Each structure stands twice: as C-alpha cells, then as structure tokens.
Amino acid sequence: AQKITQTQPGMFVQEKEAVTLDCTYDTSDPSYGLFWYKQPSSGEMIFLIYQGSYDQQNATEGRYSLNFQKARKSANLVISASQLGDSAMYFCAMREALFNKFYFGSGTKLNVKP
Amino acid sequence: GAVVSQHPSRVICKSGTSVKIECRSLDFQATTMFWYRQFPKQSLMLMATSNEGSKATYEQGVEKDKFLINHASLTLSTLTVTSAHPEDSSFYICSTPGQTYEQYFGPGTRLTVT
C-alpha cells in the first residue's frame, strides 16, 4: 500500500486566492511526522511545514497551514493568498519514528494564474 | 538550518562510464545520509540509506553493485553510478536527518547519460 497519496497531479489557482493540496497517509506507527515540501523547477526541496502525530494544534507557518485530520489520516496543505512565486511542485511526505525514512507522495503541480 | 551541498550540480557522461556524486554536510556531522532518485515529473524515490562507517542499506529493486554508496566520514557521502546507461539519467538528491524532525536536502545533481 502507498504510504502517501496525493490525488491531484495538477492544480490551478488564481493569484491572491487560497488553495488546498490534498494528502492522505497510511501508517500503523503511532509516532510519525508529516511534511510538505515545495520543489521549484531548480529542483531544490524547500521545507514548508511540519506536523507531528501528537501535535494537538494544526501547524501554521506564515501563509501555509496544515489541516491535520488524524482519524481520516489526512494532512492537507492550505496556501492562503497565493502568489505567482508559489507555482511549483508540492510534495507531501511522512517520516515514521520506527524506520527514520521519508516517504514522499507523487506530488501536485500548482500553477498560480495572474 | 544545516547546509548540505552536492557536487556536481549537473553532469553529462557517456554510456558505460562511471559518475561520482558527492554530498557534503557543511556545518554538522551527518551520521546518516539518504539518497533519492527523481525522474522527470515524478516523486523522489529512496534508493539507499548510508550510515557513516558501515555498509549502505539499499531499497528493494536498487542494484547495489550499480549504485555504490560510500559514507567514509561524518561530512561526506558519495554515490557512484557505475557503467551508466541512458536510463540512469535522473535527478539525484541526498538528505540527512536533523536532530529532531528536520531533514536537510542537498540541492540535487542532474545526471544525463548520452
């Protein structure tokens, strides 16, 4: 079974609007971390936000927030007030405490339209 | 945050030759290094995990004799693609875990085999 599933290969959003990128995960490890990364065309992986499995509050980092629904095993990324520079690939990832490995989703290509 | 460098950033080699990619941690000791491969428009796939001073652990389906990983020091891990073929053309990225949940990525190496 896939550890991380991103069902949106591509998304369009109008500049200044909010957008939600979906991510669901699968694990039996009670201790895990969920991450979102941005990958522009240059290829570098840019860390956006982190949510620990025991965190009670949803994580927020500036314009990024993570909608963490543990029972549904979903960790959607919300980008508010989209900017043209947000156009990139976005990857959801999970790190299980037991194996210290990162599992990546297939990614979502976000295009912000002016 | 910690800095991880990769060299070279781009390399073109002829089929049948070997290519070495270096991944350096510049300001901390990296006991573990992950190596990923990313084909165009696809996700990062973990190839292997290297630990300083011991043999690398390869993921299922990755040929350890073709992708030689050496982690001889706490600041340097290398990936050598031996007898490279055009199908090995890809983007290779290394990363190392931080002390808590962080994962520090190198900027990546784009390999083209002609």
Side-chain angles (χ1 to χ4, degrees), chain A residues 73-109:
Chain A
K73 293 189 174 179
S74 75
N76 298 340
L77 175 71
V78 180
I79 305 175
S80 63
S82 297
Q83 301 172 357
L84 295 178
D86 294 335
S87 294
M89 280 291 288
Y90 288 81
F91 290 100
C92 179
M94 176 176 65
R95 179 178 175 181
E96 294 171 323
L98 188 59
F99 295 110
N100 199 28
K101 288 184 187 179
F102 255 55
Y103 301 97
F104 285 89
S106 54
T108 296
K109 179 90 165 80

CSV table of all heavy atoms in Angstrom, one decimal, chain A residues 73-109:
chain,number,residue,atom,x,y,z
A,73,LYS,N,-6.6,10.3,8.6
A,73,LYS,CA,-5.3,10.2,8.1
A,73,LYS,C,-5.1,11.1,6.8
A,73,LYS,O,-4.6,10.7,5.8
A,73,LYS,CB,-4.9,8.7,7.7
A,73,LYS,CG,-4.9,7.8,8.9
A,73,LYS,CD,-4.3,6.4,8.6
A,73,LYS,CE,-4.2,5.7,9.9
A,73,LYS,NZ,-3.7,4.3,9.6
A,74,SER,N,-5.4,12.4,7.1
A,74,SER,CA,-5.2,13.3,6.0
A,74,SER,C,-4.4,14.5,6.6
A,74,SER,O,-4.5,14.9,7.8
A,74,SER,CB,-6.5,13.8,5.4
A,74,SER,OG,-7.2,14.7,6.2
A,75,ALA,N,-3.6,15.1,5.7
A,75,ALA,CA,-2.7,16.2,6.1
A,75,ALA,C,-2.7,17.2,4.9
A,75,ALA,O,-1.7,17.3,4.2
A,75,ALA,CB,-1.4,15.7,6.4
A,76,ASN,N,-3.8,17.9,4.7
A,76,ASN,CA,-3.8,18.8,3.6
A,76,ASN,C,-3.1,20.1,3.8
A,76,ASN,O,-3.2,20.7,4.9
A,76,ASN,CB,-5.3,19.1,3.2
A,76,ASN,CG,-6.1,17.8,2.8
A,76,ASN,OD1,-5.5,16.8,2.5
A,76,ASN,ND2,-7.4,17.9,2.9
A,77,LEU,N,-2.5,20.6,2.8
A,77,LEU,CA,-1.8,21.9,2.9
A,77,LEU,C,-2.7,23.0,2.3
A,77,LEU,O,-3.2,22.8,1.2
A,77,LEU,CB,-0.5,21.9,2.0
A,77,LEU,CG,0.3,23.2,1.9
A,77,LEU,CD1,0.9,23.5,3.3
A,77,LEU,CD2,1.4,23.1,0.8
A,78,VAL,N,-2.8,24.0,3.1
A,78,VAL,CA,-3.6,25.2,2.7
A,78,VAL,C,-2.6,26.4,2.5
A,78,VAL,O,-1.9,26.7,3.4
A,78,VAL,CB,-4.7,25.6,3.7
A,78,VAL,CG1,-5.5,26.8,3.2
A,78,VAL,CG2,-5.6,24.4,3.9
A,79,ILE,N,-2.6,26.9,1.3
A,79,ILE,CA,-1.8,28.1,1.0
A,79,ILE,C,-2.8,29.3,0.8
A,79,ILE,O,-3.7,29.2,0.0
A,79,ILE,CB,-1.0,27.9,-0.3
A,79,ILE,CG1,-0.1,26.7,-0.3
A,79,ILE,CG2,-0.1,29.2,-0.5
A,79,ILE,CD1,0.6,26.4,-1.6
A,80,SER,N,-2.6,30.2,1.7
A,80,SER,CA,-3.5,31.4,1.6
A,80,SER,C,-2.9,32.5,0.7
A,80,SER,O,-1.7,32.5,0.6
A,80,SER,CB,-3.8,31.9,3.0
A,80,SER,OG,-2.6,32.4,3.6
A,81,ALA,N,-3.7,33.3,0.1
A,81,ALA,CA,-3.2,34.5,-0.7
A,81,ALA,C,-2.1,34.0,-1.6
A,81,ALA,O,-1.0,34.5,-1.5
A,81,ALA,CB,-2.8,35.6,0.3
A,82,SER,N,-2.4,33.2,-2.5
A,82,SER,CA,-1.4,32.6,-3.5
A,82,SER,C,-0.7,33.7,-4.2
A,82,SER,O,-1.3,34.7,-4.6
A,82,SER,CB,-2.1,31.7,-4.5
A,82,SER,OG,-2.7,30.6,-3.9
A,83,GLN,N,0.6,33.4,-4.4
A,83,GLN,CA,1.4,34.3,-5.2
A,83,GLN,C,2.0,33.6,-6.4
A,83,GLN,O,2.1,32.4,-6.4
A,83,GLN,CB,2.6,34.8,-4.3
A,83,GLN,CG,2.1,35.5,-3.0
A,83,GLN,CD,3.3,35.8,-2.1
A,83,GLN,OE1,4.4,35.4,-2.3
A,83,GLN,NE2,3.0,36.5,-1.0
A,84,LEU,N,2.4,34.4,-7.4
A,84,LEU,CA,2.9,33.8,-8.6
A,84,LEU,C,4.1,32.9,-8.3
A,84,LEU,O,4.3,31.8,-8.9
A,84,LEU,CB,3.3,34.9,-9.6
A,84,LEU,CG,2.2,35.7,-10.1
A,84,LEU,CD1,2.7,36.8,-11.1
A,84,LEU,CD2,1.1,34.9,-10.8
A,85,GLY,N,4.9,33.3,-7.3
A,85,GLY,CA,6.1,32.5,-6.9
A,85,GLY,C,5.7,31.2,-6.3
A,85,GLY,O,6.6,30.4,-6.0
A,86,ASP,N,4.5,31.0,-6.0
A,86,ASP,CA,4.1,29.7,-5.4
A,86,ASP,C,4.0,28.6,-6.4
A,86,ASP,O,3.8,27.4,-6.1
A,86,ASP,CB,2.7,29.8,-4.7
A,86,ASP,CG,2.8,30.7,-3.5
A,86,ASP,OD1,3.9,30.9,-2.9
A,86,ASP,OD2,1.7,31.3,-3.1
A,87,SER,N,4.0,28.9,-7.7
A,87,SER,CA,3.9,27.9,-8.8
A,87,SER,C,5.1,27.0,-8.7
A,87,SER,O,6.3,27.4,-8.7
A,87,SER,CB,3.9,28.6,-10.1
A,87,SER,OG,2.7,29.4,-10.3
A,88,ALA,N,4.9,25.7,-8.5
A,88,ALA,CA,5.9,24.7,-8.2
A,88,ALA,C,5.3,23.4,-8.0
A,88,ALA,O,4.0,23.3,-8.0
A,88,ALA,CB,6.7,25.1,-7.0
A,89,MET,N,6.1,22.4,-7.8
A,89,MET,CA,5.6,21.1,-7.4
A,89,MET,C,5.6,21.1,-5.9
A,89,MET,O,6.5,21.6,-5.2
A,89,MET,CB,6.6,20.0,-7.9
A,89,MET,CG,6.4,19.5,-9.3
A,89,MET,SD,4.8,18.7,-9.6
A,89,MET,CE,5.2,17.1,-8.8
A,90,TYR,N,4.6,20.4,-5.3
A,90,TYR,CA,4.4,20.3,-3.9
A,90,TYR,C,4.4,18.8,-3.5
A,90,TYR,O,3.6,18.1,-4.1
A,90,TYR,CB,3.2,21.1,-3.4
A,90,TYR,CG,3.4,22.5,-3.5
A,90,TYR,CD1,3.2,23.2,-4.7
A,90,TYR,CD2,3.7,23.3,-2.3
A,90,TYR,CE1,3.4,24.6,-4.7
A,90,TYR,CE2,3.9,24.7,-2.4
A,90,TYR,CZ,3.7,25.3,-3.6
A,90,TYR,OH,3.9,26.7,-3.7
A,91,PHE,N,5.2,18.5,-2.6
A,91,PHE,CA,5.2,17.1,-2.1
A,91,PHE,C,4.8,17.0,-0.6
A,91,PHE,O,5.3,17.7,0.2
A,91,PHE,CB,6.6,16.5,-2.3
A,91,PHE,CG,7.0,16.3,-3.7
A,91,PHE,CD1,7.8,17.2,-4.4
A,91,PHE,CD2,6.6,15.2,-4.4
A,91,PHE,CE1,8.2,17.0,-5.7
A,91,PHE,CE2,6.9,15.0,-5.8
A,91,PHE,CZ,7.8,15.9,-6.4
A,92,CYS,N,4.0,16.0,-0.4
A,92,CYS,CA,3.7,15.6,1.0
A,92,CYS,C,4.6,14.5,1.4
A,92,CYS,O,4.9,13.6,0.5
A,92,CYS,CB,2.2,15.2,1.1
A,92,CYS,SG,1.6,14.7,2.7
A,93,ALA,N,5.1,14.4,2.6
A,93,ALA,CA,6.0,13.4,3.0
A,93,ALA,C,5.7,13.0,4.4
A,93,ALA,O,5.1,13.7,5.2
A,93,ALA,CB,7.4,13.9,2.9
A,94,MET,N,6.1,11.8,4.7
A,94,MET,CA,5.9,11.3,6.1
A,94,MET,C,7.2,10.6,6.6
A,94,MET,O,7.9,9.9,5.8
A,94,MET,CB,4.8,10.2,6.1
A,94,MET,CG,4.6,9.6,7.5
A,94,MET,SD,3.1,8.5,7.5
A,94,MET,CE,3.7,7.2,6.4
A,95,ARG,N,7.4,10.8,7.8
A,95,ARG,CA,8.6,10.1,8.4
A,95,ARG,C,8.1,9.3,9.6
A,95,ARG,O,7.5,9.9,10.5
A,95,ARG,CB,9.6,11.1,8.9
A,95,ARG,CG,10.8,10.6,9.6
A,95,ARG,CD,11.8,11.7,9.9
A,95,ARG,NE,13.0,11.3,10.7
A,95,ARG,CZ,13.9,12.1,11.1
A,95,ARG,NH1,13.8,13.4,10.8
A,95,ARG,NH2,14.9,11.7,11.8
A,96,GLU,N,8.3,8.0,9.6
A,96,GLU,CA,7.9,7.2,10.7
A,96,GLU,C,9.0,7.1,11.7
A,96,GLU,O,10.2,7.0,11.4
A,96,GLU,CB,7.5,5.8,10.2
A,96,GLU,CG,6.3,5.8,9.3
A,96,GLU,CD,6.1,4.4,8.7
A,96,GLU,OE1,7.1,3.8,8.4
A,96,GLU,OE2,4.9,4.0,8.6
A,97,ALA,N,8.6,7.2,13.0
A,97,ALA,CA,9.7,7.2,14.0
A,97,ALA,C,10.5,5.9,14.0
A,97,ALA,O,11.6,5.8,14.3
A,97,ALA,CB,9.0,7.4,15.4
A,98,LEU,N,9.8,4.8,13.7
A,98,LEU,CA,10.4,3.5,13.7
A,98,LEU,C,11.5,3.3,12.8
A,98,LEU,O,12.6,2.8,13.1
A,98,LEU,CB,9.3,2.4,13.5
A,98,LEU,CG,9.7,1.0,13.8
A,98,LEU,CD1,10.2,0.8,15.2
A,98,LEU,CD2,8.6,0.0,13.5
A,99,PHE,N,11.4,3.8,11.5
A,99,PHE,CA,12.4,3.5,10.5
A,99,PHE,C,13.2,4.7,10.0
A,99,PHE,O,14.1,4.5,9.3
A,99,PHE,CB,11.7,2.9,9.3
A,99,PHE,CG,11.1,1.5,9.6
A,99,PHE,CD1,9.7,1.4,9.6
A,99,PHE,CD2,11.9,0.4,9.8
A,99,PHE,CE1,9.1,0.1,9.9
A,99,PHE,CE2,11.3,-0.8,10.1
A,99,PHE,CZ,9.9,-1.0,10.1
A,100,ASN,N,12.8,5.9,10.5
A,100,ASN,CA,13.6,7.1,10.2
A,100,ASN,C,13.7,7.2,8.7
A,100,ASN,O,14.7,7.8,8.2
A,100,ASN,CB,15.0,7.0,10.8
A,100,ASN,CG,15.7,8.3,10.9
A,100,ASN,OD1,15.0,9.3,11.0
A,100,ASN,ND2,17.0,8.3,10.8
A,101,LYS,N,12.7,6.8,7.9
A,101,LYS,CA,12.8,7.0,6.4
A,101,LYS,C,11.7,8.0,6.1
A,101,LYS,O,10.7,8.2,6.8
A,101,LYS,CB,12.4,5.7,5.7
A,101,LYS,CG,13.5,4.7,5.7
A,101,LYS,CD,13.0,3.5,4.9
A,101,LYS,CE,14.0,2.3,5.0
A,101,LYS,NZ,13.5,1.2,4.2
A,102,PHE,N,11.9,8.7,4.9
A,102,PHE,CA,11.0,9.6,4.4
A,102,PHE,C,10.2,8.9,3.3
A,102,PHE,O,10.8,8.3,2.4
A,102,PHE,CB,11.7,10.8,3.8
A,102,PHE,CG,11.5,12.0,4.7
A,102,PHE,CD1,11.9,12.0,6.0
A,102,PHE,CD2,11.0,13.2,4.2
A,102,PHE,CE1,11.8,13.1,6.8
A,102,PHE,CE2,10.9,14.3,5.0
A,102,PHE,CZ,11.3,14.3,6.3
A,103,TYR,N,8.9,9.0,3.3
A,103,TYR,CA,8.1,8.6,2.2
A,103,TYR,C,7.4,9.8,1.5
A,103,TYR,O,6.8,10.6,2.2
A,103,TYR,CB,7.0,7.6,2.7
A,103,TYR,CG,7.5,6.4,3.4
A,103,TYR,CD1,7.6,6.3,4.8
A,103,TYR,CD2,8.0,5.3,2.7
A,103,TYR,CE1,8.1,5.2,5.4
A,103,TYR,CE2,8.5,4.1,3.3
A,103,TYR,CZ,8.5,4.1,4.7
A,103,TYR,OH,9.0,3.0,5.3
A,104,PHE,N,7.6,9.9,0.2
A,104,PHE,CA,7.0,11.0,-0.5
A,104,PHE,C,5.8,10.6,-1.3
A,104,PHE,O,5.7,9.5,-1.8
A,104,PHE,CB,8.1,11.6,-1.4
A,104,PHE,CG,9.1,12.4,-0.8
A,104,PHE,CD1,10.3,11.7,-0.3
A,104,PHE,CD2,9.0,13.7,-0.6
A,104,PHE,CE1,11.3,12.5,0.3
A,104,PHE,CE2,10.0,14.4,0.1
A,104,PHE,CZ,11.1,13.8,0.5
A,105,GLY,N,4.9,11.6,-1.4
A,105,GLY,CA,3.8,11.4,-2.3
A,105,GLY,C,4.2,11.7,-3.7
A,105,GLY,O,5.3,12.1,-4.0
A,106,SER,N,3.3,11.5,-4.7
A,106,SER,CA,3.6,11.7,-6.1
A,106,SER,C,3.7,13.2,-6.5
A,106,SER,O,4.1,13.5,-7.6
A,106,SER,CB,2.6,11.0,-7.0
A,106,SER,OG,1.3,11.4,-6.6
A,107,GLY,N,3.2,14.0,-5.6
A,107,GLY,CA,3.4,15.5,-5.9
A,107,GLY,C,2.1,16.1,-6.6
A,107,GLY,O,1.4,15.4,-7.3
A,108,THR,N,2.0,17.4,-6.4
A,108,THR,CA,1.0,18.2,-7.0
A,108,THR,C,1.6,19.4,-7.7
A,108,THR,O,2.4,20.1,-7.0
A,108,THR,CB,-0.1,18.6,-6.0
A,108,THR,OG1,-0.8,17.5,-5.5
A,108,THR,CG2,-1.1,19.6,-6.7
A,109,LYS,N,1.4,19.6,-9.0
A,109,LYS,CA,1.9,20.7,-9.7
A,109,LYS,C,0.9,21.9,-9.5
A,109,LYS,O,-0.2,21.8,-10.0
A,109,LYS,CB,2.2,20.4,-11.1
A,109,LYS,CG,2.7,21.5,-12.0
A,109,LYS,CD,4.2,21.5,-12.0
A,109,LYS,CE,4.8,22.4,-13.0
A,109,LYS,NZ,4.8,23.8,-12.6
